[in-house]
Amino acid sequence: MLTTAEKAADWLLSGLELRSTLFHVGQYCGDYRASTAGHQRASFHLVLHGECWLHLPPRNGQPAASTRLVEGDAVFLLHDMIHCLSPDAQPPGDSEFTVRIGTMTPLEMENATSSGNAGGVGLACGFFEYRSDLGEGIHGLLPDHIIARHDDVKLAGARVVFELIRTEAIRTGDAPSPLVNRLADLLFFYALRSVASADDFAPGLWSVMRRSEFAPLVNAIIEHPAEDWTTHSMATFCHMSRARFCRQFAEVSGQPPAQFLAMLRMKVAAEMLRQGASTLDAAEQVGYQSESAFAHAFRRVTGMHPGACRRERSASAAHIATFIENRVSAH
C-alpha cells in the first residue's frame, strides 16, 4: 500500500521530463578531488566500485556536510552547486573546493567487477536537465541534492538499474553510451520517489502530504479541482480557523494556500492538455470560467501557454507515429 507521500511523488513524476548526458566514466586512484560544479547544470555521480567522500560546503543556511559513498550509491545534484568527491573523510579548505586534482583513468574490468576494491573509486558522472508541468515551481518541491543508497529497501528495483549501468559502462569504456543516459534517468526517478517520505525532505507537496491534517485536503483538490476552494473553505475542510490554517499550511508547504492551490490546479490542467483537451475544457475542469484568466494563471505557474503544452503532446505523438511508420516500412 502506497503512502500519501509516495502517491504524491508518483503524481509529480507523471509530468516530469528528464534528459541525462554521461560526461565521463573512469576511475581515480591515490589523491584526487573530482567535481562537476561550474557548468551551470544539474549533475550526478554513480559509484561503480570502491568508495569516496562527497563534500558539500555550507550553503543556504545549511552546515557543511561530508558523506561516505560506496559501491552502488548515487548522488544527484539538482542544480549547479559547489561540491567535490575525494578519498578523504575530511573536507578540503573553503578555497580548495573548486580546485580539481588527480586524473581519471579508464575503468579497469577487474576493479569494476569486484566489490570493496581498495585501489580507488570507479565513477560514472554526467549532467541532466529536467522540467515539469509546474515550470519553475518544481524547484520549490525538490531538495538541492539527493543521495540514493545501494542498501535502501525502497530502492530494490533501482539496484537492477545500477547493475545495468555498470555493465554498460564497462562495455563501452570512454565511448558515449545513450543507454547509460536513459538508465540514469530511471535511477533518478527511483531516487526521487524513495526520499519522498523522508522526514528531512524539502518543504512542499510531500511535506504537506505527510501531515494528516492536510493530506486529505490535497487529495480532495486533486480529485475535485473545479470546486470553489477558497482559503476559508480549505480551512473549514481541515477543521481549523482561517488564521491557524494559513499559518500552519505556509509553515509546512513553504508557500501560501492560494499559491499551492494554483500549483495543484495547473498540474491537473497540464495533464488534461497533454491528453488533447482544449484550453477551455481544461480551464473549466480546474475551476476557471474565463479562458484568458486560466491562460494567464497557467503561464504564471508553468512558464508556458496552454496551447504550447497541448502542441508539445501533439508533436510527440506525431514523432512516435512517424517512428512506427518508418519501422514498419523497413520491414
Side-chain angles (χ1 to χ4, degrees):
M1 180 69 69
L2 294 178
T3 66
T4 53
E6 289 170 335
K7 289 179 181 177
D10 286 351
W11 184 67
L12 180 67
L13 289 176
S14 68
L16 188 65
E17 296 181 18
L18 186 70
R19 181 170 294 276
S20 301
T21 305
L22 190 64
F23 180 50
H24 57 203
V25 176
Q27 64 182 26
Y28 285 99
C29 295
D31 204 15
Y32 64 87
R33 194 179 304 132
S35 177
T36 47
H39 293 272
Q40 304 303 311
R41 301 175 67 184
S43 62
F44 63 87
H45 302 283
L46 312 179
V47 183
L48 302 178
H49 71 78
E51 63 179 59
C52 64
W53 286 81
L54 167 68
H55 299 295
L56 299 171
R59 66 206 184 282
N60 302 324
Q62 298 293 318
S66 295
T67 305
R68 180 172 174 262
L69 302 176
V70 300
E71 179 181 311
D73 290 346
V75 57
F76 295 90
L77 305 154
L78 275 66
H79 60 83
D80 187 14
M81 54 191 292
I82 297 175
H83 70 282
C84 73
L85 301 176
S86 83
D88 304 315
Q90 293 299 317
D94 292 344
S95 62
E96 298 177 322
F97 260 96
T98 57
V99 180
R100 296 174 176 82
I101 59 175
T103 302
M104 176 174 272
T105 59
L107 199 63
E108 296 179 4
M109 180 72 74
E110 60 270 23
N111 286 341
T113 56
S114 61
S115 300
N117 182 275
V121 63
L123 297 171
C125 308
F127 301 102
F128 64 97
E129 300 173 356
Y130 60 96
R131 66 174 183 171
S132 162
D133 294 335
L134 301 177
E136 293 300 313
I138 186 67
H139 300 296
L141 298 177
L142 300 175
D144 58 9
H145 74 288
I146 296 173
I147 295 177
R149 294 294 190 183
H150 72 285
D151 56 355
D152 186 341
V153 294
K154 296 178 182 178
L155 287 171
R159 285 195 285 276
V160 177
V161 178
F162 173 81
E163 288 303 327
L164 290 172
I165 290 175
R166 185 163 63 170
T167 300
E168 184 69 7
I170 295 169
R171 187 184 73 82
T172 58
D174 292 335
S177 172
L179 180 56
V180 171
N181 295 341
R182 301 291 75 81
L183 290 170
D185 291 350
L186 185 56
L187 189 62
F188 174 77
F189 285 136
Y190 268 109
L192 181 58
R193 189 167 64 180
S194 74
V195 300
S197 57
D199 290 337
D200 58 352
F201 199 61
L205 182 60
W206 288 283
S207 297
V208 174
M209 295 298 280
R210 288 200 305 272
R211 296 288 289 268
S212 59
E213 65 267 40
F214 296 135
L217 171 65
V218 176
N219 285 325
I221 293 172
I222 293 173
E223 289 295 323
H224 308 286
E227 286 196 13
D228 185 21
W229 293 108
T230 64
T231 304
H232 177 74
S233 65
M234 287 189 285
T236 300
F237 188 98
C238 295
H239 308 290
M240 296 182 183
S241 69
R242 185 179 183 280
R244 180 187 169 204
F245 170 74
C246 289
R247 182 180 67 257
Q248 293 192 6
F249 192 93
E251 289 174 355
V252 174
S253 72
Q255 54 189 301
Q259 185 177 331
F260 194 87
L261 171 66
M263 180 191 71
L264 293 180
R265 280 175 162 169
M266 295 310 114
K267 176 70 170 67
V268 172
E271 290 179 347
M272 294 182 62
L273 291 167
R274 285 202 310 271
Q275 293 169 9
S278 68
T279 302
L280 180 59
D281 286 343
E284 291 178 346
Q285 289 298 316
V286 296
Y288 285 79
Q289 301 305 312
S290 165
E291 187 173 348
S292 61
F294 165 74
H296 178 75
F298 189 87
R299 187 168 186 175
R300 184 180 68 250
V301 172
T302 69
M304 68 169 64
H305 191 275
C309 182
R310 189 172 59 253
R311 284 194 296 273
E312 277 192 355
R313 176 260 182 191
S314 300
S316 176
H319 176 75
I320 293 172
T322 301
F323 174 78
I324 294 173
E325 234 176 74
N326 292 340
R327 293 289 289 182
V328 171
S329 300
H331 292 80

